[in-house]
Amino acid sequence: MDYEVIKKPESKEIKPAPNLGDYEKARREVKWVDVATDLDWFGDGKINIAYEAVDRHIHSHRKNKLAFVWEGKDGTIEKYSFYELSRASNKFANVLLTLGVEKGDRVFIFLERVPELFISALGTLKIGAIIGPLFSAFGPDAVKDRLLDSGSKVLITSPQLKSKIEDILEDLPDLERIVIVNRDGEEVELGDKGVNYEEEMTEASEDFDIVKTDKDDYAIMHYTSGTTGKPKGVVHAHEAVVGHYATSKYVLDLQENDIYWCTADPGWVTGTSYGMFGPWSNGVTQIIYEGGFNAKKWYHIIENYRVTVWYTAPTAIRMLMKFGDELPKKFDMRSLRYACSVGEPLNPEAVIWGETAIGIPFHDNWWQTETGCQMIANYPVQDIKPGSMGRPFPGIYPAILDDSYKELPPGSEGHLALKAGWPSMFRTYWNKEDMYNSRFQDGWYITGDKAKMDEDGYFWFVGRADDVINTAGHLVGPFEVESSLIEHPAVAEAGVIGKPDPIVMEVIKAFVSLKEGYTPSDELKHDIQKFVKKKLSSAAYPREIEFLDSLPKTRSGKIMRRLLKARELGLPEGDTSTLEE
Ligand code: AMP
């Protein structure tokens, strides 16, 4: 189905005026070197993310401005001004120095979304060490793989999370110290490696000379799952903050008086690029909520803190949709002026649902752990074509390539690639230089996604390069089928795979979970098939449908088609460390 374009508002209707007033002009004229001059660079060409994000503000009118308001799962509220955040992270930098941590060492953080996570991340960057935030829901194997591979010297964790990984700690030869953040003041056995965060922080000085790192010095590591093998460590350098800053300003449209809420956990790249460095380098106040998804609570957060800009993910939006259009109407959501989404395909109905249920459409944008910041996006001053990821960020040059890495014309499906060389581009896969190099061809970074670009320069996601289904010579993107499936009134979630078939090469198989009030039956199966066949084409409807109570998802909410496929074909499931419990 073709969805109507959501026309951009008249410029004068957009209040406050967007940071990006003229997209076409910006695309023609922008140069990263010019954007970079908005940051301080210590005045001498060096750059440290923590300085650009926090410390530079304490020499400005933002000194006492709130950097964040934190709400804990239990309702506790804590507030930090930029000045307080700067001082606290200075203290932590001093703590690390006393522990013998040096520039380039890896310091991994395994904490719930508590203020100490942010303080310790900034403190680590201040001494020039590399942060590795880990999602608190990881189990021992996932933590072990990452600490071993990165050779992390220090782990920052809590008593509760430490007890979950106790058995692997002996197997980590590089791990010298474990800093325990003990917010609840529990009795803890520190052991020989243990360090008491609260005690060390009380004694540490608030003064610290931040290390002036080079733009190419490594700063951040995030592990990302590939199609094969264990997750690999994607490494970003301090210069990445130029990308975080610029995209937060022009894609998220963050402005001085905004109250911004990013729902992503810093264990994933969105939670660092856009839950720390992007908004803070723009001097913007963030809301940080420790808890997970809860429809009522989320609406309450928007109402209570007068959130103006909201960055979330398609799965969350679809989950909100499941709770219906009436729920958001019970809350005062009028503060919201802008909403964005990332991480997986945002189906057109979700974009439109934003308009009807919360009063503004969701603006989809596309990027990856490797790209470090948003690459393709919808902007306040551009029409939205629901279902499209949008247009390139000024200064970013994406293209659709064929299998020989030649550019394809508009309308063709192919490999989504980006002209290599932007500030937040990853610098390596830790200890896997060959794998890193293999991602570049003829000056292009090959993203591993398939997409197409239309005549207007909008990009449309098709699927991961290895997910596209070939059925009777027709290439079918699973996203297209899934989008269609979830338009059926009974379908809550859908994951689609290609299943080998001796005649047509692959048939489309759909795994479907149903909304409350619906029960699986053959009749329903046929109804769904008919529905999709009618909506898409006779080539693209699922020949097979299997009902599941819920679909396997990564902890960041992506449906794991790979796992569905492995289970379907009786193959090994591979690395499931990112699987949601
Ligand atoms: P990650 O590195 O975990 O952030 O995942 C990046 C991948 O998520 C991309 O390569 C895409 O496959 C998918 N992705 C991210 N954003 C979008 C989007 N807006 N639309 C479709 N897929 C997306």
Side-chain angles (χ1 to χ4, degrees), residues 1-206:
M1 171 172 161
D2 279 340
Y3 290 84
E4 259 181 51
V5 170
I6 302 177
K7 285 282 175 203
K8 63 178 184 206
E10 287 295 318
S11 310
K12 55 182 184 311
E13 279 174 21
I14 314 180
K15 290 203 178 77
N19 289 327
L20 184 65
D22 187 339
Y23 172 80
E24 306 297 347
K25 184 164 181 277
R27 271 198 81 191
R28 276 194 314 273
E29 295 176 5
V30 78
K31 293 199 177 53
W32 281 109
V33 282
D34 298 335
V35 175
T37 59
D38 282 4
L39 299 178
D40 270 19
W41 296 83
F42 295 113
D44 61 7
K46 301 280 187 176
I47 189 164
N48 185 306
I49 295 182
Y51 184 79
E52 301 296 352
V54 178
D55 285 30
R56 76 186 175 110
H57 302 308
I58 69 175
H59 309 297
S60 76
H61 63 284
R62 296 184 183 130
K63 178 177 176 185
N64 295 315
K65 182 178 177 178
L66 283 179
F68 70 90
V69 178
W70 174 81
E71 183 172 327
K73 284 180 194 158
D74 62 359
T76 311
I77 289 171
E78 289 178 20
K79 297 179 182 180
Y80 280 79
S81 66
F82 280 102
Y83 181 75
E84 289 162 333
L85 189 54
S86 164
R87 298 278 107 179
S89 50
N90 275 354
K91 280 177 164 230
F92 192 72
N94 281 316
V95 171
L96 288 180
L97 283 191
T98 63
L99 299 181
V101 179
E102 294 173 2
K103 184 169 174 235
D105 284 342
R106 276 77 61 212
V107 173
F108 273 54
I109 309 171
F110 185 45
L111 284 174
E112 302 279 354
R113 216 151 42 230
V114 290
E116 290 79 357
L117 188 168
F118 300 86
I119 292 165
S120 57
L122 290 164
T124 303
L125 291 169
K126 282 184 171 183
I127 67 164
I130 303 169
I131 57 165
L134 297 172
F135 191 47
S136 59
F138 276 155
D141 290 354
V143 174
K144 181 176 160 184
D145 285 344
R146 288 157 176 80
L147 294 183
L148 258 186
D149 185 67
S150 62
S152 186
K153 189 167 181 177
V154 174
L155 177 68
I156 304 158
T157 189
S158 66
Q160 301 81 4
L161 293 175
K162 179 168 176 277
S163 66
K164 188 160 82 163
I165 55 165
E166 209 65 69
D167 289 350
I168 58 138
L169 293 173
E170 289 307 306
D171 307 332
L172 301 167
D174 300 311
L175 187 67
E176 292 178 10
R177 309 310 292 263
I178 303 173
V179 179
I180 312 277
V181 176
N182 192 357
R183 288 181 66 86
D184 305 330
E186 281 185 20
E187 274 298 310
V188 274
E189 191 61 59
L190 287 178
D192 5 315
K193 292 184 180 170
V195 177
N196 181 315
Y197 173 90
E198 286 75 15
E199 266 174 29
E200 298 294 324
M201 287 291 274
T202 316
E203 282 163 26
S205 161
E206 283 191 349

Side-chain angles (χ1 to χ4, degrees), residues 458-479:
Y458 281 71
F459 284 78
W460 300 75
F461 183 79
V462 173
R464 295 289 303 181
D466 41 10
D467 268 346
V468 176
I469 301 162
N470 187 335
T471 181
H474 298 277
L475 290 182
V476 178
F479 167 53

Side-chain angles (χ1 to χ4, degrees), residues 552-555 560 563 567 573 576-581:
K553 289 190 226 52
T554 62
R555 295 201 171 98
M560 292 179 87
L563 204 60
R567 287 177 182 169
E573 294 192 354
T576 52
S577 59
T578 54
L579 182 66
E580 187 189 55
E581 266 145 34

Side-chain angles (χ1 to χ4, degrees), residues 223-225 268-270 314 341-346 364-370 376 388-389 447-449 461-464 479 556 558:
Y223 277 78
T224 183
S225 302
W268 311 105
V269 72
T270 307
S341 160
V342 72
E344 17 156 358
L346 183 65
D364 189 18
N365 51 69
W366 177 95
W367 59 293
Q368 308 175 303
T369 308
E370 285 88 341
I376 296 175
S388 161
M389 308 186 290
T447 68
D449 280 358
F461 183 79
V462 173
R464 295 289 303 181
F479 167 53
S556 57
K558 292 191 180 73

Side-chain angles (χ1 to χ4, degrees), residues 397 399 401 407 417-419 439-446:
Y397 304 97
L401 306 183
E407 269 188 80
L418 304 159
K419 188 118 293 148
R439 299 296 299 269
F440 296 88
Q441 299 288 343
D442 304 340
W444 295 103
Y445 163 65
I446 311 298

